[in-house]
Amino acid sequence: MRKKFKRLKWIFGVLVGSFFAIGCLIGGVYLLSYIMGPPPLSNQQNTVYYSNDGEIIGEESGSESRHWVELKAISPFLIDATLQIEDQHFYEHHGFDYKRIMGAIIKDIKSLSLKEGASTLTQQYARNLYLTHEKTWLRKIKEAFYTVRLEMFYSKDEILEGYLNTIYYGHGAYGIESASNYYFEIPASELTLAQAAMLAGIPKGPTYYSPLNDIERATKRQQHILAVMRNEQVITESEYKEAIEEELTYTAKNENEEVIGAHFQDTVLQEAAEILNLDVEAIRSGGFEIHTTLNRDYQQQLEKQINQTVRSSSEVEVGVLAIESNTGGILAMSGGRNYSESPYNRTTQAKRMPGSAFKPFLYYAALEKGFTPTTELMSEPTVFQLENGEEYKPSNYNGYYANKPITLAQALALSDNVYAVRTHLFLGVDELVDTARKFGFTSPLPAVPSLALGTAAVSVKEMVAGYAMLANGGYDMSPHTIKKIDNANGKTVFEREETLGKQKLDEKKVSVLNHLMTGMFDSQLDGYMSVTGSTISNRLTRIYAGKSGTTNSDSWMIGYCPSLVTGVWVGYDDNRPMEAVAEKSYAKSIWSQFMETAHKGLPNEAFDMPAGVVGVPVDPSTGQRATAYCDTSRVMYFEKGTEPQIHCTDHVYEENGAKDEEGMLEKLFDLFR
């Protein structure tokens, strides 16, 4: 009995001591809060973006986009909608909703994370003004401290007014007055119930719930808010129905018209949030200095060339990405023709079929399995009998075929589909999927015969990253926009190491494939049709490797030199076919103009030629070593020991003598020497 009493006494003592300690802690917090006095109700810290040469390319809006208005100048609908969706007990608590907090703590403990939130408006206001959005216990303690100070020195109306004037509503608009003007071109006092509910839903995730980015998602959230207001009897059933039926018209102005690389800056914002594990809103208003990879000259030239190439009357969209192949730094980006009309980024968010632009990954797999540039397969109309009993009949462009065996070099230069499918089925359909994964593809890739012809939907970013691994000799790399981030105090919180990744591809096979991919611009490989780059080859002043791709609704051109790879996609957002001849040429035109401008005045670059790779003159029509009597001759590169040993005997001495083998031959020898 005595032991039980002692135990109860001990437990009681622990509880009393705990409560006393907690009481002292809380008392200390309130005493310190009182001593420090009221914190300011506004705090502007703009995040600045810099190009790779240290020049400012973007800055979050300052005072001109943060218009402070009194609470009485804000629509009651907006106030009610915000309170109902964010903090229904705002006027009842003293900064903390303990019931919600306990529920969130229990869920956090169960999940061993800090994902659940139970923040009141006061807590959100404190975090937005004075703290980061980092999900750590230290930040939560600091947040509680500032929450106490706000509640201690300001009235509820003052706190609510401050919150509504500083919260971020997307597209550079801070505060409800700026948001109301930006989205609807009216003051906050004139917002209708439907408009207010739409705006009240945005702060939870401005990127995701902006009606200008995703009208369907934004509308669902608006309707949810209206339903909550109705259920809580804040609005009547008739008001609810009227608001649901109201059609909203947006009058957002293009605030990014003069911005350098608006889509690029959006990507920087998202990347910074991921790097620092912060909310996007915390990055926007956190006072960071973000040093990016953007080359201003490249970006401005790219935008200029898109505008000059694509007819203003055309509705096609464009996605262009240029990256530094060794580091993965994105040097220029265009996610679409008009950011104000569509901030949707077609280089990172869209998934489209690349067509024949996917073939280099197939032919890398073929080289791994013993193919060489002179490996011959038949080019003729073919019906392939598949293992499941089905038939597959690919066709070449315009129904043209060699109707005889052609080499891998010519098949790639002419983009022969039958050759590609033969290769794909010979290797096994899983081989291309596995190889594409080596090149960094994460999109779903069905192991089917048509994958050889690029029928899987992938992003421009994936395609360009894959080509960059060829340009850099087979090293892993990840496209990125950020080099360094400094916080508001000038401390560097992130700095990227600009080094090559791991060697993931065989350097010899990469070298052979790089040379094969110069063939699309070389008329020496003309066969039953001209090489696919013939329409732009006369515009090029140096050797590039590349591949084009075409589907009914997509046009691609991706090409590179050792240091720079650029990919261009052109098509309609709704996947309708491109029927205008001019539209089908846009991708190649934009690519050639951009690459030539980017390299103007720079010395020629040579692709790495690793030991064990040799170049020999080859007759493209026979795949044998060329002689002085062959009509055409092209230097092709092979892994030593796989080069052709037999000289061509199809051509004999002509009276006029041997043909001049200089020109392209010498240029190629110089390039790969």
Side-chain angles (χ1 to χ4, degrees):
M1 186 70 177
R2 183 175 295 177
K3 287 184 178 180
K4 184 176 182 181
F5 177 76
K6 285 184 176 180
R7 184 179 298 173
L8 290 174
K9 184 179 179 181
W10 181 81
I11 293 174
F12 179 75
V14 170
L15 290 175
V16 171
S18 299
F19 281 121
F20 180 77
I22 293 172
C24 289
L25 178 62
I26 294 174
V29 169
Y30 275 87
L31 178 61
L32 187 58
S33 297
Y34 179 78
I35 293 173
M36 294 188 69
L41 288 178
S42 64
N43 182 24
Q44 296 183 18
Q45 295 190 72
N46 296 338
T47 287
V48 181
Y49 304 134
Y50 296 88
S51 63
N52 62 5
D53 61 355
E55 294 295 324
I56 294 176
I57 58 172
E59 184 173 358
E60 292 300 333
S61 300
S63 59
E64 71 274 11
S65 68
R66 303 174 189 240
H67 303 292
W68 192 287
V69 292
E70 295 182 359
L71 196 62
K72 63 183 180 182
I74 300 174
S75 166
F77 290 132
L78 187 282
I79 294 173
D80 289 338
T82 300
L83 291 175
Q84 289 303 312
I85 199 61
E86 295 290 349
D87 189 356
Q88 293 184 3
H89 305 292
F90 173 71
Y91 280 98
E92 301 166 15
H93 60 64
H94 297 287
F96 307 98
D97 190 331
Y98 296 106
K99 184 176 180 180
R100 290 176 63 196
I101 289 174
M102 289 305 298
I105 290 175
I106 292 172
K107 290 182 179 180
D108 283 342
I109 292 174
K110 288 181 178 180
S111 63
L112 298 177
S113 69
L114 295 174
K115 292 183 178 180
E116 288 299 323
S119 297
T120 62
L121 283 187
T122 312
Q123 288 174 275
Q124 292 181 47
Y125 189 23
R127 181 170 63 244
N128 291 337
L129 283 179
Y130 317 115
L131 304 167
T132 71
H133 290 237
E134 186 180 6
K135 295 183 178 181
T136 65
W137 290 111
L138 180 61
R139 196 273 295 160
K140 287 180 177 289
I141 292 172
K142 290 181 178 179
E143 178 186 296
F145 179 73
Y146 280 107
T147 299
V148 169
R149 292 177 66 193
L150 286 171
E151 289 279 347
M152 181 179 290
F153 290 101
Y154 297 104
S155 69
K156 287 290 187 179
D157 283 353
E158 287 176 319
I159 294 172
L160 180 58
E161 179 180 302
Y163 173 85
L164 292 175
N165 276 289
T166 56
I167 198 69
Y168 184 61
Y169 287 91
H171 304 284
Y174 287 85
I176 189 57
E177 185 72 5
S178 294
S180 183
N181 276 289
Y182 180 79
Y183 287 98
F184 302 115
E185 216 173 37
I186 59 174
S189 60
E190 297 179 11
L191 289 169
T192 66
L193 175 57
Q195 292 170 332
M198 178 61 77
L199 294 184
I202 295 175
K204 180 179 176 67
T207 300
Y208 297 101
Y209 294 113
S210 164
L212 304 182
N213 291 349
D214 192 325
I215 186 62
E216 184 177 351
R217 183 186 286 123
T219 301
K220 286 182 180 179
R221 180 154 174 80
Q222 176 217 33
Q223 293 175 351
H224 170 66
I225 293 172
L226 290 170
V228 171
M229 296 177 73
R230 178 196 59 188
N231 296 340
E232 295 295 325
Q233 298 183 347
V234 175
I235 59 175
T236 65
E237 183 68 29
S238 61
E239 287 177 318
Y240 169 79
K241 291 181 178 178
E242 183 178 344
I244 287 289
E245 294 173 0
E246 182 177 337
E247 185 175 347
L248 300 182
T249 302
Y250 302 97
T251 57
K253 298 291 189 300
N254 181 16
E255 297 183 359
N256 296 279
E257 191 170 341
E258 300 300 323
V259 171
I260 298 175
H263 287 102
F264 177 87
Q265 291 192 31
D266 276 358
T267 306
V268 172
L269 184 62
Q270 294 292 338
E271 189 175 314
E274 293 174 7
I275 290 172
L276 299 181
N277 192 28
L278 298 177
D279 295 338
V280 166
E281 293 71 41
I283 300 296
R284 289 183 183 275
S285 57
F288 295 99
E289 291 190 347
I290 302 179
H291 299 265
T292 77
T293 59
L294 187 80
N295 183 303
R296 289 182 303 146
D297 292 337
Y298 285 7
Q299 183 66 38
Q300 291 169 337
Q301 285 297 323
L302 175 60
E303 293 174 2
K304 176 182 178 181
Q305 285 153 11
I306 291 173
N307 291 332
Q308 290 178 344
T309 301
V310 183
R311 294 177 181 174
S312 58
S313 59
S314 175
E315 295 180 0
V316 296
E317 274 297 350
V318 176
V320 186
L321 193 65
I323 69 175
E324 191 174 42
S325 59
N326 285 337
T327 66
I330 296 175
L331 301 174
M333 170 190 285
S334 175
R337 292 172 59 194
N338 191 317
Y339 181 86
S340 65
E341 293 181 2
S342 174
Y344 182 68
N345 193 330
R346 292 159 187 83
T347 69
T348 59
Q349 295 174 282
K351 297 287 185 75
R352 306 292 293 231
M353 290 191 294
S356 293
F358 202 69
K359 289 176 181 175
F361 310 116
L362 168 68
Y363 292 133
Y364 176 82
L367 292 173
E368 283 196 315
K369 297 300 182 181
F371 277 52
T372 75
T374 54
T375 297
E376 292 186 322
L377 294 175
M378 280 295 296
S379 167
E380 63 181 359
T382 305
V383 178
F384 292 94
Q385 300 293 329
L386 307 181
E387 292 181 357
N388 61 6
E390 295 182 359
E391 295 182 344
Y392 180 56
K393 186 179 181 180
S395 60
N396 281 352
Y397 178 72
N398 282 341
Y400 296 151
Y401 301 89
N403 292 309
K404 65 177 183 179
I406 61 174
T407 63
L408 170 56
Q410 197 168 51
L412 185 54
L414 304 183
S415 200
D416 191 286
N417 288 338
V418 174
Y419 190 107
V421 174
R422 286 189 190 280
T423 302
H424 184 41
L425 294 179
F426 171 78
L427 299 178
V429 291
D430 291 325
E431 190 66 32
L432 178 52
V433 176
D434 294 339
T435 299
R437 298 299 179 210
K438 292 181 184 178
F439 280 89
F441 284 86
T442 58
S443 294
L445 301 173
V448 295
S450 63
L451 182 61
L453 307 184
T455 56
V458 296
S459 70
V460 173
K461 182 180 178 181
E462 286 178 296
M463 289 292 292
V464 174
Y467 276 59
M469 289 182 65
L470 295 176
N472 70 25
Y475 289 89
D476 190 19
M477 47 72 61
S478 178
H480 59 270
T481 62
I482 296 175
K483 298 170 68 175
K484 186 176 76 165
I485 303 176
D486 295 336
N487 66 16
N489 298 320
K491 179 183 177 182
T492 298
V493 293
F494 170 80
E495 189 163 11
R496 189 181 301 276
E497 292 185 13
E498 299 289 0
T499 57
L500 281 172
K502 294 181 179 179
Q503 181 90 40
K504 294 190 69 175
L505 307 176
D506 184 287
E507 61 178 355
K508 295 178 185 178
K509 294 172 178 60
V510 168
S511 178
V512 171
L513 184 55
N514 281 337
H515 176 258
L516 283 170
M517 291 176 64
T518 67
M520 73 170 291
F521 307 113
D522 186 0
S523 62
Q524 301 286 350
L525 289 171
D526 286 350
Y528 60 84
M529 60 179 292
S530 299
V531 292
T532 54
S534 60
T535 56
I536 58 172
S537 59
N538 63 334
R539 307 177 196 171
L540 307 180
T541 60
R542 61 185 66 216
I543 300 295
Y544 299 101
K547 187 71 185 77
S548 58
T550 305
T551 72
N552 288 334
S553 55
D554 304 275
S555 177
W556 295 72
M557 179 62 214
I558 310 177
Y560 56 94
C561 63
S563 62
L564 177 65
V565 55
T566 300
V568 182
W569 166 85
V570 176
Y572 291 97
D573 283 339
D574 59 6
N575 281 295
R576 76 182 110 142
M578 283 191 293
E579 297 177 348
V581 175
E583 292 176 349
K584 296 177 182 179
S585 68
Y586 287 158
K588 289 179 181 177
S589 294
I590 293 170
W591 178 86
S592 60
Q593 291 168 11
F594 175 78
M595 291 295 279
E596 282 294 294
T597 301
H599 289 95
K600 188 174 183 180
L602 298 178
N604 286 328
E605 295 179 272
F607 289 99
D608 287 340
M609 184 59 59
V613 174
V614 296
V616 297
V618 174
D619 180 346
S621 63
T622 65
Q624 298 172 335
R625 278 184 181 258
T627 68
Y629 312 119
C630 292
D631 293 330
T632 57
S633 176
R634 186 175 199 263
V635 176
M636 297 187 189
Y637 289 80
F638 302 80
E639 290 192 56
K640 192 170 184 179
T642 66
E643 68 272 22
Q645 301 298 321
I646 300 175
H647 286 79
C648 174
T649 57
D650 285 13
H651 307 97
V652 295
Y653 178 80
E654 297 179 0
E655 185 175 345
N656 292 333
K659 300 200 173 186
D660 185 8
E661 294 185 51
E662 297 183 356
M664 179 62 75
L665 282 178
E666 291 189 348
K667 289 170 70 177
L668 289 173
F669 267 125
D670 289 340
L671 182 67
F672 288 89
R673 186 169 295 164

